[in-house]
Amino acid sequence: MKGYVIALALLLLLVAAVVWNAAYIHGVTEALLGKLDSLPSAPATDQTPAAVKWIRDEFDRQTTLLQITVPGSTIDRIRESLCLLELYAASGDVSQYAAALVLLREQVEAMAHPEKLSLSNIL
Amino acid sequence: MTTILIRTLIIYAALIMIMRFMGKRQLGELEISDLVTTLLISELASLPLTDESIPLSHAVLPILVLMALEVLLSGAILKFPFAKKLFSVRPAILIRHGVPDRTAMRAVRVSMEELLSQLRQKDVTDPDEVEYAILEPNGQISVVKKASRQQATLEQLGIQTTEAGMMHLIVSDGQIHRRNLEQAGKDERWLEAVLLTRHCSLDEVFLLMVDDGDEIRFFTKEGKT
């Protein structure tokens, strides 16, 4: 009987961990998207590269925890896109900056995609 | 992780049902849920080993979920008859009173050649010798021979016997197995007395065993008995 209780408790604990993890990743994604929304659509000011760098540093601080459940390749892609965005923000190349921003948004959204409870995801 | 959790539950349930309908012959020595869990765990464990980009949690989570499901399912099978019916296979009688049951054999997809082969492994060459041959849930075939074909026991022959019970390992390579000593109903004073009568110290003993009838097997490291 004790074994079954432990197994049931373990199962419930795992479900709780999965739910918490999904909420955490959604939180990180939403926060990151919010910060990206606050960036100007064109790198008009000198402050834009610094703002992107701040976003990159903030994301780097989260990666230790994220790496537990998010594949390394997903995190690497986001980090790479943040570096590119910072580079284009510094160079002042409007079209490249805009394209990098769109790509980054997609990659950040992709990080939370597996946590969305949808039939297409499960199948 | 959410997707992985739900996928694990779906795959586990699907494999259990598939194995259930595939029948007993696929199982070997394992119960259905044991086999499914073993198959899945071995595959899951290898994933993060071969691909560094896959987080360990992607293997650890499903493995723990499978482990918990396995324990809960085995408990449910013991407690609830409907679960036993759903997840566990029942024994099938393939030979009854010396006559092979063709319908039962077809249902579990066992051919006559396979059945005869299994019987030969049980030292039976003629199905007529068999009262019952039963395909067990673990895939093994149990054979109950007809009374007239069974070997006579010492009791039937009227020969008096004494129960020797099992041999308990008391000392191996100079080390005392205290739990076995206790199980054999002996103590260290008894052991000292045995060693004294054999003119031998504990360090010199390679093997000392005793059965329930106090029969002793004794070997020193030099091979003396």
Side-chain angles (χ1 to χ4, degrees):
Chain A
M1 190 65 194
K2 197 177 166 189
Y4 303 132
V5 173
I6 292 170
L8 190 62
L10 176 67
L11 196 60
L12 293 174
L13 194 72
L14 290 169
V15 171
V18 165
V19 171
W20 177 85
N21 177 66
Y24 171 71
I25 289 178
H26 278 300
V28 170
T29 308
E30 289 302 316
L32 201 53
L33 287 173
K35 285 168 193 161
L36 294 178
D37 285 341
S38 69
L39 289 174
S41 54
T45 64
D46 293 343
Q47 290 167 344
T48 312
V52 177
K53 188 180 180 306
W54 178 75
I55 293 172
R56 185 159 61 86
D57 291 342
E58 284 287 300
F59 179 71
D60 281 344
R61 266 194 279 278
Q62 304 276 3
T63 51
T64 311
L65 206 54
L66 282 174
Q67 270 169 346
I68 297 172
T69 57
V70 177
S73 53
T74 307
I75 293 172
D76 287 346
R77 274 197 294 271
I78 294 173
R79 196 182 279 145
E80 204 175 286
S81 292
L82 277 164
C83 289
L84 270 179
L85 188 69
E86 193 182 338
L87 197 75
Y88 293 135
S91 72
D93 189 329
V94 178
S95 61
Q96 294 276 39
Y97 172 83
L101 194 57
V102 170
L103 182 68
L104 179 58
R105 282 193 65 89
E106 279 175 8
Q107 283 167 349
V108 171
E109 280 165 4
M111 182 170 70
H113 188 68
E115 301 304 326
K116 282 180 187 150
L117 208 59
S118 68
L119 203 59
S120 65
N121 257 353
I122 291 164
L123 298 177
Chain B
M1 293 281 277
T2 313
T3 316
I4 290 171
L5 177 77
I6 294 169
R7 281 184 172 198
T8 305
L9 296 174
I10 292 171
I11 295 284
Y12 180 73
L15 279 178
I16 290 270
M17 294 321 290
I18 289 166
M19 289 292 181
R20 168 75 178 80
F21 289 112
M22 276 169 72
K24 305 168 185 78
R25 292 176 54 214
Q26 312 295 326
L27 302 178
E29 299 268 330
L30 300 168
E31 274 281 336
I32 292 173
S33 59
D34 297 335
L35 180 70
V36 167
T37 309
T38 310
L39 282 176
L40 288 179
I41 284 180
S42 62
E43 281 296 313
L44 284 166
S46 68
L47 282 177
L49 296 179
T50 51
D51 189 347
E52 282 179 29
S53 68
I54 298 174
L56 267 180
S57 60
H58 285 201
V60 173
L61 174 88
I63 287 172
L64 290 176
V65 168
L66 287 172
M67 193 188 79
L69 287 176
E70 168 66 11
V71 174
L72 291 174
L73 187 62
S74 58
I77 287 171
L78 283 175
K79 200 166 170 62
F80 306 110
F82 76 90
K84 186 172 179 61
K85 205 173 170 183
L86 191 65
F87 296 113
S88 193
V89 286
R90 278 171 293 183
I93 298 174
L94 304 182
I95 297 179
R96 197 186 296 261
H97 312 308
V99 181
D101 186 333
R102 196 161 164 256
T103 315
M105 287 172 66
R106 270 189 178 180
V108 293
R109 295 186 295 284
V110 172
S111 68
M112 200 60 219
E113 288 78 13
E114 285 173 293
L115 180 58
L116 289 174
S117 166
Q118 289 281 327
L119 292 181
R120 283 195 295 274
Q121 289 175 43
K122 309 269 179 188
D123 297 327
V124 177
T125 51
D126 182 358
D128 191 51
E129 295 175 33
V130 178
E131 183 67 8
Y132 287 106
I134 304 155
L135 181 61
E136 301 291 355
N138 66 3
Q140 300 292 306
I141 291 180
S142 302
V143 175
V144 180
K145 286 186 189 173
K146 285 182 177 172
S148 59
R149 301 291 187 142
Q150 284 179 2
Q151 288 181 342
T153 62
L154 292 175
E155 191 181 7
Q156 287 168 329
L157 296 172
I159 299 170
Q160 290 288 322
T161 55
T162 51
E163 287 296 334
M166 61 175 276
M167 276 280 177
H168 301 274
L169 176 65
I170 305 298
V171 179
S172 67
D173 221 2
Q175 298 291 315
I176 304 172
H177 294 258
R178 287 191 170 75
R179 194 158 172 261
N180 294 353
L181 193 67
E182 198 179 306
Q183 280 178 348
K186 311 291 181 199
D187 55 20
E188 290 197 29
R189 281 162 71 184
W190 171 85
L191 180 60
E192 282 168 17
V194 169
L195 295 176
L196 201 67
T197 55
R198 309 246 168 189
H199 308 292
C200 180
S201 71
L202 184 64
D203 284 340
E204 292 172 281
V205 180
F206 175 61
L207 183 69
L208 174 60
M209 298 170 86
V210 64
D211 70 9
D212 296 342
D214 279 352
E215 185 81 23
I216 292 172
R217 296 279 178 276
F218 180 86
F219 300 94
T220 64
K221 288 176 182 171
E222 288 158 359
K224 290 178 192 164
T225 59

Short mmCIF file of all heavy atoms in Angstrom, two decimals, chain A residues 3-4 7-8 10-11 14-15 18 21-22 67-73 114-115 117 121-123, chain B residues 1-3 5-7 10 53-58 61 64-65 67-69 71-72 74-75 78:
data_model
loop_
_atom_site.label_atom_id
_atom_site.label_comp_id
_atom_site.label_asym_id
_atom_site.label_seq_id
_atom_site.Cartn_x
_atom_site.Cartn_y
_atom_site.Cartn_z
N GLY A 3 3.82 1.58 -1.21
CA GLY A 3 4.41 1.75 -2.54
C GLY A 3 3.47 2.48 -3.48
O GLY A 3 3.88 3.34 -4.26
N TYR A 4 2.15 2.14 -3.41
CA TYR A 4 1.17 2.77 -4.31
C TYR A 4 0.99 4.24 -3.96
O TYR A 4 0.84 5.09 -4.84
CB TYR A 4 -0.18 2.04 -4.22
CG TYR A 4 -0.09 0.59 -4.54
CD1 TYR A 4 -0.68 -0.36 -3.73
CD2 TYR A 4 0.62 0.13 -5.65
CE1 TYR A 4 -0.58 -1.72 -4.01
CE2 TYR A 4 0.73 -1.20 -5.94
CZ TYR A 4 0.14 -2.12 -5.12
OH TYR A 4 0.24 -3.45 -5.40
N ALA A 7 3.94 6.04 -5.30
CA ALA A 7 3.83 6.16 -6.77
C ALA A 7 2.82 7.24 -7.16
O ALA A 7 3.08 8.04 -8.06
CB ALA A 7 3.42 4.82 -7.37
N LEU A 8 1.68 7.25 -6.45
CA LEU A 8 0.64 8.25 -6.74
C LEU A 8 1.16 9.65 -6.41
O LEU A 8 0.95 10.60 -7.19
CB LEU A 8 -0.63 7.93 -5.94
CG LEU A 8 -1.86 8.74 -6.30
CD1 LEU A 8 -2.27 8.48 -7.73
CD2 LEU A 8 -3.01 8.42 -5.36
N LEU A 10 4.25 10.60 -6.36
CA LEU A 10 5.28 10.94 -7.37
C LEU A 10 4.62 11.44 -8.66
O LEU A 10 5.04 12.44 -9.24
CB LEU A 10 6.15 9.71 -7.65
CG LEU A 10 7.20 9.87 -8.75
CD1 LEU A 10 8.29 10.85 -8.33
CD2 LEU A 10 7.85 8.53 -9.10
N LEU A 11 3.56 10.72 -9.07
CA LEU A 11 2.86 11.10 -10.30
C LEU A 11 2.26 12.51 -10.16
O LEU A 11 2.38 13.34 -11.07
CB LEU A 11 1.76 10.07 -10.59
CG LEU A 11 1.18 10.06 -11.99
CD1 LEU A 11 2.26 9.79 -13.02
CD2 LEU A 11 0.08 9.02 -12.11
N LEU A 14 4.96 15.11 -10.25
CA LEU A 14 5.47 15.33 -11.61
C LEU A 14 4.50 16.20 -12.41
O LEU A 14 4.92 17.09 -13.14
CB LEU A 14 5.68 13.99 -12.32
CG LEU A 14 6.85 13.14 -11.79
CD1 LEU A 14 6.80 11.74 -12.38
CD2 LEU A 14 8.18 13.79 -12.10
N VAL A 15 3.20 15.92 -12.23
CA VAL A 15 2.19 16.73 -12.94
C VAL A 15 2.29 18.19 -12.47
O VAL A 15 2.27 19.12 -13.28
CB VAL A 15 0.76 16.16 -12.71
CG1 VAL A 15 -0.29 17.11 -13.25
CG2 VAL A 15 0.62 14.80 -13.37
N VAL A 18 5.28 19.83 -13.97
CA VAL A 18 5.06 20.14 -15.39
C VAL A 18 4.20 21.40 -15.52
O VAL A 18 4.48 22.28 -16.34
CB VAL A 18 4.40 18.92 -16.09
CG1 VAL A 18 3.82 19.31 -17.44
CG2 VAL A 18 5.42 17.80 -16.26
N ASN A 21 6.29 24.36 -14.55
CA ASN A 21 7.28 24.63 -15.61
C ASN A 21 6.62 25.35 -16.80
O ASN A 21 7.20 26.29 -17.36
CB ASN A 21 7.91 23.31 -16.05
CG ASN A 21 8.87 23.50 -17.20
OD1 ASN A 21 9.91 24.12 -17.04
ND2 ASN A 21 8.52 22.99 -18.37
N ALA A 22 5.41 24.88 -17.16
CA ALA A 22 4.69 25.51 -18.27
C ALA A 22 4.40 26.97 -17.94
O ALA A 22 4.61 27.87 -18.77
CB ALA A 22 3.39 24.76 -18.55
N GLN A 67 17.31 25.89 -19.11
CA GLN A 67 17.99 24.75 -19.73
C GLN A 67 17.56 23.40 -19.15
O GLN A 67 17.82 22.37 -19.76
CB GLN A 67 19.51 24.89 -19.58
CG GLN A 67 20.12 25.65 -20.75
CD GLN A 67 21.55 26.04 -20.51
OE1 GLN A 67 22.05 25.98 -19.39
NE2 GLN A 67 22.23 26.45 -21.56
N ILE A 68 16.92 23.43 -17.99
CA ILE A 68 16.48 22.17 -17.38
C ILE A 68 15.42 21.50 -18.27
O ILE A 68 15.40 20.29 -18.41
CB ILE A 68 15.93 22.40 -15.95
CG1 ILE A 68 17.05 22.93 -15.05
CG2 ILE A 68 15.34 21.12 -15.37
CD1 ILE A 68 16.61 23.38 -13.67
N THR A 69 14.57 22.34 -18.87
CA THR A 69 13.47 21.75 -19.65
C THR A 69 13.42 22.19 -21.12
O THR A 69 12.77 21.53 -21.92
CB THR A 69 12.11 22.08 -19.01
OG1 THR A 69 11.98 23.49 -18.92
CG2 THR A 69 11.99 21.47 -17.63
N VAL A 70 14.09 23.29 -21.44
CA VAL A 70 14.05 23.76 -22.84
C VAL A 70 15.30 23.23 -23.56
O VAL A 70 16.41 23.36 -23.03
CB VAL A 70 14.00 25.31 -22.90
CG1 VAL A 70 14.04 25.79 -24.34
CG2 VAL A 70 12.76 25.82 -22.19
N PRO A 71 15.14 22.65 -24.76
CA PRO A 71 16.31 22.16 -25.49
C PRO A 71 17.36 23.25 -25.69
O PRO A 71 17.02 24.41 -25.96
CB PRO A 71 15.73 21.70 -26.82
CG PRO A 71 14.31 21.41 -26.53
CD PRO A 71 13.89 22.37 -25.48
N GLY A 72 18.62 22.87 -25.57
CA GLY A 72 19.73 23.80 -25.69
C GLY A 72 19.72 24.54 -27.02
O GLY A 72 20.05 25.73 -27.08
N SER A 73 19.29 23.85 -28.09
CA SER A 73 19.29 24.46 -29.41
C SER A 73 18.32 25.66 -29.46
O SER A 73 18.61 26.67 -30.11
CB SER A 73 18.90 23.43 -30.47
OG SER A 73 17.70 22.81 -30.12
N PRO A 114 5.87 24.33 -27.19
CA PRO A 114 5.61 22.96 -26.71
C PRO A 114 4.80 22.91 -25.42
O PRO A 114 4.26 21.86 -25.08
CB PRO A 114 7.02 22.40 -26.48
CG PRO A 114 7.94 23.25 -27.24
CD PRO A 114 7.31 24.61 -27.25
N GLU A 115 4.74 24.02 -24.69
CA GLU A 115 4.00 24.03 -23.43
C GLU A 115 2.52 24.34 -23.63
O GLU A 115 1.74 24.28 -22.68
CB GLU A 115 4.61 25.06 -22.46
CG GLU A 115 6.07 24.81 -22.14
CD GLU A 115 6.34 23.42 -21.59
OE1 GLU A 115 5.49 22.89 -20.87
OE2 GLU A 115 7.42 22.86 -21.90
N LEU A 117 -1.12 23.61 -24.58
CA LEU A 117 -1.90 22.39 -24.61
C LEU A 117 -2.82 22.40 -25.83
O LEU A 117 -3.93 22.93 -25.78
CB LEU A 117 -2.73 22.29 -23.32
CG LEU A 117 -3.07 20.90 -22.85
CD1 LEU A 117 -1.82 20.08 -22.60
CD2 LEU A 117 -3.92 20.95 -21.60
N ASN A 121 -0.04 19.94 -31.01
CA ASN A 121 1.20 19.71 -30.26
C ASN A 121 1.32 18.27 -29.81
O ASN A 121 2.39 17.67 -29.90
CB ASN A 121 1.19 20.60 -29.01
CG ASN A 121 2.07 21.80 -29.18
OD1 ASN A 121 2.78 21.91 -30.15
ND2 ASN A 121 2.00 22.72 -28.25
N ILE A 122 0.23 17.73 -29.31
CA ILE A 122 0.26 16.37 -28.76
C ILE A 122 0.44 15.34 -29.88
O ILE A 122 1.17 14.37 -29.74
CB ILE A 122 -1.02 16.10 -27.94
CG1 ILE A 122 -0.99 16.96 -26.66
CG2 ILE A 122 -1.15 14.62 -27.58
CD1 ILE A 122 -2.31 17.08 -25.97
N LEU A 123 -0.21 15.61 -31.00
CA LEU A 123 -0.14 14.64 -32.09
C LEU A 123 1.14 14.82 -32.90
O LEU A 123 1.55 13.95 -33.62
CB LEU A 123 -1.37 14.75 -33.00
CG LEU A 123 -2.69 14.46 -32.31
CD1 LEU A 123 -3.86 14.68 -33.27
CD2 LEU A 123 -2.75 13.04 -31.78
N MET B 1 7.45 20.22 -21.98
CA MET B 1 7.26 19.24 -20.92
C MET B 1 5.79 18.80 -20.81
O MET B 1 5.54 17.64 -20.56
CB MET B 1 7.71 19.83 -19.57
CG MET B 1 9.19 20.08 -19.49
SD MET B 1 10.14 18.58 -19.18
CE MET B 1 9.99 18.46 -17.41
N THR B 2 4.87 19.75 -20.99
CA THR B 2 3.45 19.41 -20.93
C THR B 2 3.13 18.39 -22.03
O THR B 2 2.48 17.38 -21.79
CB THR B 2 2.58 20.68 -21.16
OG1 THR B 2 3.10 21.72 -20.35
CG2 THR B 2 1.14 20.43 -20.82
N THR B 3 3.63 18.69 -23.23
CA THR B 3 3.41 17.80 -24.36
C THR B 3 4.03 16.43 -24.08
O THR B 3 3.40 15.39 -24.37
CB THR B 3 4.06 18.40 -25.63
OG1 THR B 3 3.75 19.77 -25.68
CG2 THR B 3 3.57 17.72 -26.88
N LEU B 5 4.60 15.00 -21.21
CA LEU B 5 3.82 14.28 -20.19
C LEU B 5 2.60 13.61 -20.82
O LEU B 5 2.35 12.41 -20.62
CB LEU B 5 3.38 15.25 -19.09
CG LEU B 5 2.50 14.64 -18.00
CD1 LEU B 5 3.32 13.81 -17.04
CD2 LEU B 5 1.75 15.71 -17.23
N ILE B 6 1.86 14.39 -21.62
CA ILE B 6 0.64 13.85 -22.23
C ILE B 6 0.99 12.76 -23.25
O ILE B 6 0.33 11.71 -23.31
CB ILE B 6 -0.20 14.99 -22.85
CG1 ILE B 6 -0.70 15.89 -21.72
CG2 ILE B 6 -1.38 14.45 -23.64
CD1 ILE B 6 -1.31 17.17 -22.17
N ARG B 7 2.04 13.00 -24.02
CA ARG B 7 2.46 11.98 -25.00
C ARG B 7 2.86 10.68 -24.31
O ARG B 7 2.55 9.59 -24.79
CB ARG B 7 3.64 12.51 -25.82
CG ARG B 7 3.22 13.44 -26.91
CD ARG B 7 4.41 13.83 -27.73
NE ARG B 7 4.00 14.58 -28.90
CZ ARG B 7 4.77 14.76 -29.96
NH1 ARG B 7 5.96 14.26 -29.99
NH2 ARG B 7 4.33 15.44 -30.98
N ILE B 10 -0.24 8.82 -23.36
CA ILE B 10 -0.92 8.25 -24.53
C ILE B 10 -0.16 7.03 -25.06
O ILE B 10 -0.75 5.98 -25.33
CB ILE B 10 -1.09 9.32 -25.64
CG1 ILE B 10 -2.09 10.40 -25.18
CG2 ILE B 10 -1.58 8.69 -26.95
CD1 ILE B 10 -2.17 11.60 -26.08
N SER B 53 21.64 18.16 -27.04
CA SER B 53 20.70 19.28 -27.00
C SER B 53 19.39 18.93 -26.28
O SER B 53 18.61 19.81 -25.96
CB SER B 53 20.40 19.77 -28.42
OG SER B 53 19.66 18.79 -29.10
N ILE B 54 19.16 17.63 -26.07
CA ILE B 54 17.94 17.23 -25.36
C ILE B 54 18.20 17.31 -23.85
O ILE B 54 19.10 16.66 -23.35
CB ILE B 54 17.53 15.79 -25.74
CG1 ILE B 54 17.22 15.72 -27.24
CG2 ILE B 54 16.33 15.32 -24.94
CD1 ILE B 54 16.94 14.33 -27.74
N PRO B 55 17.41 18.11 -23.14
CA PRO B 55 17.62 18.20 -21.69
C PRO B 55 17.35 16.85 -21.01
O PRO B 55 16.50 16.08 -21.47
CB PRO B 55 16.59 19.23 -21.23
CG PRO B 55 16.18 19.95 -22.45
CD PRO B 55 16.33 19.00 -23.58
N LEU B 56 18.07 16.60 -19.93
CA LEU B 56 17.89 15.35 -19.18
C LEU B 56 16.44 15.17 -18.74
O LEU B 56 15.92 14.06 -18.69
CB LEU B 56 18.78 15.37 -17.93
CG LEU B 56 20.16 14.74 -18.06
CD1 LEU B 56 20.90 14.85 -16.75
CD2 LEU B 56 20.07 13.28 -18.47
N SER B 57 15.80 16.31 -18.42
CA SER B 57 14.42 16.24 -17.91
C SER B 57 13.48 15.62 -18.94
O SER B 57 12.47 15.02 -18.57
CB SER B 57 13.92 17.63 -17.53
OG SER B 57 13.96 18.47 -18.66
N HIS B 58 13.81 15.73 -20.24
CA HIS B 58 12.94 15.15 -21.27
C HIS B 58 12.96 13.62 -21.22
O HIS B 58 12.07 12.98 -21.77
CB HIS B 58 13.37 15.64 -22.66
CG HIS B 58 12.96 17.05 -22.90
ND1 HIS B 58 12.83 17.59 -24.15
CD2 HIS B 58 12.66 18.06 -22.04
CE1 HIS B 58 12.47 18.86 -24.06
NE2 HIS B 58 12.37 19.16 -22.79
N LEU B 61 11.59 12.81 -16.84
CA LEU B 61 10.15 12.95 -16.56
C LEU B 61 9.35 11.75 -17.05
O LEU B 61 8.64 11.12 -16.26
CB LEU B 61 9.61 14.26 -17.17
CG LEU B 61 8.10 14.40 -17.04
CD1 LEU B 61 7.72 15.05 -15.72
CD2 LEU B 61 7.50 15.18 -18.18
N LEU B 64 10.08 8.60 -14.92
CA LEU B 64 9.44 8.61 -13.60
C LEU B 64 7.93 8.40 -13.72
O LEU B 64 7.32 7.71 -12.92
CB LEU B 64 9.75 9.93 -12.87
CG LEU B 64 11.20 10.12 -12.42
CD1 LEU B 64 11.39 11.49 -11.80
CD2 LEU B 64 11.61 9.04 -11.42
N VAL B 65 7.34 9.02 -14.76
CA VAL B 65 5.89 8.84 -14.98
C VAL B 65 5.59 7.37 -15.26
O VAL B 65 4.66 6.79 -14.68
CB VAL B 65 5.40 9.74 -16.14
CG1 VAL B 65 3.99 9.36 -16.57
CG2 VAL B 65 5.41 11.20 -15.73
N MET B 67 7.35 4.78 -14.38
CA MET B 67 7.59 4.00 -13.16
C MET B 67 6.36 4.09 -12.24
O MET B 67 5.88 3.07 -11.74
CB MET B 67 8.82 4.55 -12.45
CG MET B 67 9.36 3.67 -11.36
SD MET B 67 10.64 4.55 -10.48
CE MET B 67 9.67 5.61 -9.43
N ALA B 68 5.85 5.31 -12.06
CA ALA B 68 4.68 5.50 -11.19
C ALA B 68 3.47 4.78 -11.78
O ALA B 68 2.72 4.11 -11.06
CB ALA B 68 4.40 6.99 -11.04
N LEU B 69 3.28 4.88 -13.10
CA LEU B 69 2.14 4.22 -13.75
C LEU B 69 2.23 2.70 -13.59
O LEU B 69 1.23 2.03 -13.37
CB LEU B 69 2.10 4.58 -15.24
CG LEU B 69 1.65 5.98 -15.60
CD1 LEU B 69 1.76 6.20 -17.10
CD2 LEU B 69 0.22 6.23 -15.15
N VAL B 71 3.66 0.98 -11.20
CA VAL B 71 3.32 0.58 -9.83
C VAL B 71 1.81 0.69 -9.62
O VAL B 71 1.18 -0.24 -9.09
CB VAL B 71 4.08 1.47 -8.80
CG1 VAL B 71 3.62 1.17 -7.38
CG2 VAL B 71 5.57 1.26 -8.90
N LEU B 72 1.22 1.80 -10.09
CA LEU B 72 -0.22 2.00 -9.90
C LEU B 72 -1.04 0.97 -10.68
O LEU B 72 -2.03 0.45 -10.20
CB LEU B 72 -0.62 3.43 -10.32
CG LEU B 72 -0.07 4.54 -9.41
CD1 LEU B 72 -0.40 5.90 -9.99
CD2 LEU B 72 -0.65 4.42 -8.01
N SER B 74 -0.07 -2.09 -11.62
CA SER B 74 0.03 -3.42 -11.01
C SER B 74 -0.84 -3.49 -9.76
O SER B 74 -1.44 -4.53 -9.48
CB SER B 74 1.48 -3.77 -10.70
OG SER B 74 2.04 -2.82 -9.85
N GLY B 75 -0.94 -2.36 -9.04
CA GLY B 75 -1.82 -2.31 -7.86
C GLY B 75 -3.28 -2.41 -8.27
O GLY B 75 -4.06 -3.13 -7.65
N LEU B 78 -4.29 -5.91 -9.19
CA LEU B 78 -4.50 -6.76 -8.01
C LEU B 78 -5.83 -6.46 -7.33
O LEU B 78 -6.50 -7.35 -6.84
CB LEU B 78 -3.37 -6.55 -7.00
CG LEU B 78 -2.03 -7.20 -7.29
CD1 LEU B 78 -1.01 -6.78 -6.24
CD2 LEU B 78 -2.16 -8.72 -7.29
#
